[in-house]
Amino acid sequence: MSIEAVTRDMNIAVLQTGRSPDDLRAKHGDYDDMCKALLGLEPSEATTFAILDGEFPTAPEAFDLLLITGSRHGVYEGHDWIAPLENLVVDAFNRGQRMVGICFGHQLIARALGGQVEKSEKGFGVGVMDYTLVRQDGSEADVSLCAWHQDQIITPPEHARIIAQSEFCPVAGLQYADTAISFQAHPEFSRDYVRDLIDLRTPSMLDEAFSAASLATLVSSTDTSLIQDELAAFLR
């Protein structure tokens, strides 16, 4: 069953914790709409809450699924919206509400449920990166996905199962029984968006040699459709 077939009748909240850069938004869209597309949805088919602006759902329990987006912020930075979001995650988890986390969302769910997140000594992971994925049926698959992060989950929560990993990122995907699933990579990002983001962030954030190496990875295709299939299997 396709992701569209699974999500079309669900009441979904996208909890937006970051925005695409102003210079790229008109061309590529914002993070909430990228995540909606990952779920096979049009922008109007899920409700966005701008968490980073303090906009929270008044009745989060009314939604069938909560998706937490990526962000330029770190989960440990202490912004005034992070602790309430962690509380929301704990409450949702305790009532068995479905959640999906992407990058920052992956880390935030883990931290809220007892894991540890740090800025990795390995530095940035940018471009198309390779992972080993444990699928919902228990089989393994090699997947390539767009990535952009420096923070990593160092210690996952005790009750989480690692479902994606690489040498660079040992905790690249987590699943919490049938309640939550999360990924460190950005399956919602296109290679064109990552290419433009690298250009925008060089040399202010990334040095030219690293950027050149990251750009070179973008010739590889990505397996977003496989992640969509896994999300569909999980949400069924």
Side-chain angles (χ1 to χ4, degrees):
M1 186 178 294
S2 68
I3 188 66
E4 296 92 338
V6 172
T7 59
R8 64 189 173 195
D9 294 324
M10 297 180 71
N11 188 17
I12 297 172
V14 175
L15 308 182
Q16 186 171 2
T17 60
R19 294 188 174 94
S20 59
D22 294 344
D23 294 346
L24 303 183
R25 198 170 303 144
K27 178 179 179 181
H28 296 286
D30 209 349
Y31 290 162
D32 60 332
D33 288 339
M34 293 181 193
C35 288
K36 291 174 188 179
L38 178 67
L39 296 178
L41 302 172
E42 297 295 327
S44 63
E45 293 181 311
T47 305
T48 296
F49 294 91
I51 298 295
L52 74 169
D53 295 331
E55 181 187 357
F56 282 76
T58 56
E61 68 278 1
F63 292 94
D64 302 311
L65 173 66
L66 306 174
L67 184 148
I68 306 173
T69 72
S71 176
R72 66 182 178 87
H73 299 293
V75 297
Y76 46 73
E77 289 180 358
H79 300 289
D80 58 8
W81 49 270
I82 289 182
L85 180 57
E86 289 182 332
N87 292 337
L88 186 156
V89 165
V90 171
D91 290 344
F93 181 79
N94 287 339
R95 61 175 168 260
Q97 189 172 14
R98 293 293 186 86
M99 290 183 283
V100 171
I102 302 295
C103 197
F104 176 94
H106 169 66
Q107 298 164 10
L108 187 285
I109 293 172
R111 188 171 188 263
L113 298 178
Q116 181 183 2
V117 178
E118 295 180 0
K119 192 176 295 295
S120 174
E121 296 179 352
K122 298 177 182 178
F124 279 99
V126 173
V128 174
M129 305 191 76
D130 299 326
Y131 306 89
T132 299
L133 174 71
V134 179
R135 305 184 67 173
Q136 294 298 303
D137 63 7
S139 64
E140 291 189 355
D142 295 328
V143 298
S144 298
L145 299 168
C146 289
W148 188 295
H149 69 100
Q150 184 174 6
D151 295 347
Q152 294 196 32
I153 296 171
I154 305 302
T155 307
E158 290 184 0
H159 46 284
R161 177 171 62 92
I162 296 174
I163 60 167
Q165 59 186 322
S166 69
E167 182 176 351
F168 178 79
C169 186
V171 189
L174 290 174
Q175 185 165 337
Y176 306 76
D178 59 355
T179 300
I181 191 169
S182 63
F183 298 98
Q184 180 59 67
H186 283 280
E188 82 282 15
F189 281 4
S190 69
R191 287 179 290 166
D192 285 343
Y193 175 70
V194 175
R195 181 177 293 109
D196 288 349
L197 189 57
I198 291 171
D199 289 342
L200 182 67
R201 298 304 191 209
T202 306
S204 61
M205 179 182 294
L206 309 174
D207 66 50
E208 293 186 4
F210 180 84
S211 293
S214 299
L215 286 168
T217 69
L218 298 178
V219 300
S220 301
S221 61
T222 57
D223 296 301
T224 290
S225 61
L226 192 151
I227 298 301
Q228 290 177 309
D229 290 344
E230 291 304 293
L231 289 171
F234 170 76
L235 293 172
R236 282 203 300 270

